[in-house]
Amino acid sequence: MLNIDWKELGFNYIKTDYRYISYWKDGKWSEGKLVKDNMLTISEASPALHYGQQCFEGLKAYRTKEGKIQLFRADANAKRMMATCDRLLMPTVPIDMFLDAAKKVVKANEEYVPPYGTGATLYLRPFVIGVGDNIGVKPATEYIFSIFCMPVGPYFKGGMTPVNFCVSDYDRAAPKGTGGVKVGGNYAGSLLPHAEAAKRGFADCIYLDPATHKKIEEVGSANFFGITKDDKFVTPVSPSILPSITKYSLLYLAEHYLHMPVEQRDVYIDKIDEFKEAGACGTAAVISPIGGIEYEDKLHVFYSEKEVGPITKKLYDTLIGIQFGDVKAPEGWIFEVE
């Protein structure tokens, strides 16, 4: 029996029993296998270490009220990883291989999937890295694809609470750069802006478009959305924004479950008073309600700095309900682990 207090879990690394690993050599992936060892041995000349030729994903497994285990839109993670691998000239992991690996990892670590009702989940971290003896600036000749997992707690332990953000002077990504794919360098570059925002008492910072510094792109490492005063669900559009699976899920739910108009368009930082509610969305928190955004030394407050707006709350409850099996999911969103 595991000695885990499910209700006290945070978002921290916990070594679970098994992880999946496959090696790319001579133009093909090896047959993947489950291993107990959580250490990788790679060449000191691996391009992942020197040139950032690597990518990752994040998704979760959920335990339903009936005790079943399900993955949420795992095929979308597989497709996004394929797009990232293409951008970095890495071999893609086929969707079927990705799904099979994810299911095997969850099944092999089934006792680590938290019980229904705790709000906790099993977080999966798939990644691909370029390895081998390669000191020149060129693609690796060998690669590793792996998935490991760990139980993580609910993001909001005491209920959802709005948080404030400030606008950053830093750029998250360059125009036509790698902002639209999930590479580690995007996150390394965000560490300093985040630290500076936190030092000033903000949850994180808002990144504007790198070309004009007039349009909202991302909120820390999450996507932005706003609810207009006439009840439209709006998210920014830009090739530099990572296509968040949570965001596209919320777009669908807003339109088809809450029957709201939805728009993907430019969101200008000097016109944020068009929104009565706002949030940041991603795998970890699902939705982080935005209380206010500081821009040019003025804090613009949306619904409230203390309470979550009603539409944001309804979107959160609907998506969480689908993920835990309490609300009927759109077709193709759920992958059961048997």
Side-chain angles (χ1 to χ4, degrees):
M1 286 290 290
L2 296 177
N3 186 25
I4 294 177
D5 186 342
W6 302 110
K7 296 198 172 175
E8 291 304 313
L9 281 172
F11 195 84
N12 301 300
Y13 179 78
I14 294 173
K15 182 179 182 288
T16 50
D17 294 339
Y18 293 97
R19 61 276 310 127
Y20 176 100
I21 194 160
S22 174
Y23 297 89
W24 172 276
K25 287 183 184 176
D26 303 321
K28 63 181 180 184
W29 289 109
S30 67
E31 187 175 345
K33 59 183 179 180
L34 293 169
V35 298
K36 289 197 166 188
D37 189 2
N38 69 334
M39 294 292 165
L40 295 175
T41 300
I42 63 173
S43 168
E44 62 190 354
S46 292
L49 300 176
H50 303 279
Y51 306 124
Q53 199 190 21
Q54 56 84 252
C55 69
F56 71 97
E57 278 294 324
L59 66 157
K60 291 176 177 176
Y62 306 80
R63 178 117 32 201
T64 68
K65 193 182 289 183
E66 295 75 34
K68 294 178 180 176
I69 300 171
Q70 56 189 36
L71 292 163
F72 176 75
R73 304 198 73 179
D75 60 332
N77 290 95
K79 290 171 187 170
R80 189 169 67 180
M81 178 171 265
M82 290 178 84
T84 305
C85 287
D86 280 339
R87 178 65 177 81
L88 298 189
L89 292 182
M90 299 196 294
T92 57
V93 177
I95 293 172
D96 288 348
M97 179 179 174
F98 184 102
L99 294 175
D100 178 63
K103 289 178 180 178
K104 280 178 175 168
V105 168
V106 175
K107 188 66 181 172
N109 295 288
E110 187 172 355
E111 63 179 338
Y112 288 93
V113 182
Y116 174 85
T118 60
T121 54
L122 187 74
Y123 180 82
L124 279 70
R125 172 57 60 86
F127 63 92
V128 177
I129 58 174
V131 297
D133 300 327
N134 185 355
I135 204 62
V137 184
K138 57 187 178 182
T141 54
E142 300 175 12
Y143 296 86
I144 293 172
F145 165 56
S146 181
I147 303 181
F148 63 93
C149 67
M150 74 211 78
V152 297
Y155 195 86
F156 302 107
K157 285 193 163 38
M160 287 174 79
T161 307
V163 288
N164 293 341
F165 295 83
C166 60
V167 173
S168 178
D169 291 330
Y170 291 96
D171 290 329
R172 176 186 161 269
K176 299 186 180 179
T178 57
V181 292
K182 202 165 175 66
V183 298
N186 294 348
Y187 298 84
S190 74
L191 297 176
L192 176 62
H194 169 77
E196 291 185 358
K199 199 183 292 182
R200 295 180 54 216
F202 293 96
D204 209 332
C205 53
I206 303 272
Y207 294 103
L208 304 180
D209 73 292
T212 71
H213 278 212
K214 291 181 178 177
K215 296 177 281 190
I216 290 177
E217 287 214 331
E218 291 210 357
V219 185
S221 57
N223 278 198
F224 175 88
F225 73 85
I227 310 297
T228 63
K229 287 168 182 170
D230 58 351
D231 289 346
K232 283 194 188 83
F233 181 96
V234 176
T235 68
V237 63
S238 162
S240 296
I241 296 173
L242 182 73
S244 163
I245 292 154
T246 306
K247 177 186 78 174
Y248 284 113
S249 301
L250 292 172
L251 270 165
Y252 184 92
L253 296 179
E255 183 175 8
H256 296 280
Y257 281 52
L258 273 60
H259 309 294
M260 299 169 62
V262 300
E263 292 180 352
Q264 294 184 72
R265 60 165 170 83
D266 290 337
V267 174
Y268 288 91
I269 185 64
D270 61 356
K271 293 181 179 173
I272 52 172
D273 58 357
E274 69 173 314
F275 300 113
K276 61 180 180 179
E277 298 180 31
C281 56
T283 298
V286 181
I287 293 174
S288 292
I290 300 176
I293 294 175
E294 186 191 79
Y295 175 61
E296 293 184 341
D297 298 323
K298 181 186 173 190
L299 183 70
H300 174 84
V301 176
F302 296 98
Y303 182 78
S304 164
E305 289 184 81
K306 305 284 186 191
E307 295 176 30
V308 183
I311 295 175
T312 300
K313 180 76 166 66
K314 188 144 193 187
L315 284 165
Y316 177 86
D317 289 344
T318 305
L319 186 49
I320 283 286
I322 289 169
Q323 291 171 333
F324 282 103
D326 297 326
V327 174
K328 184 173 172 54
E331 189 175 348
W333 279 24
I334 298 300
F335 294 83
E336 199 169 311
V337 179
E338 296 173 1

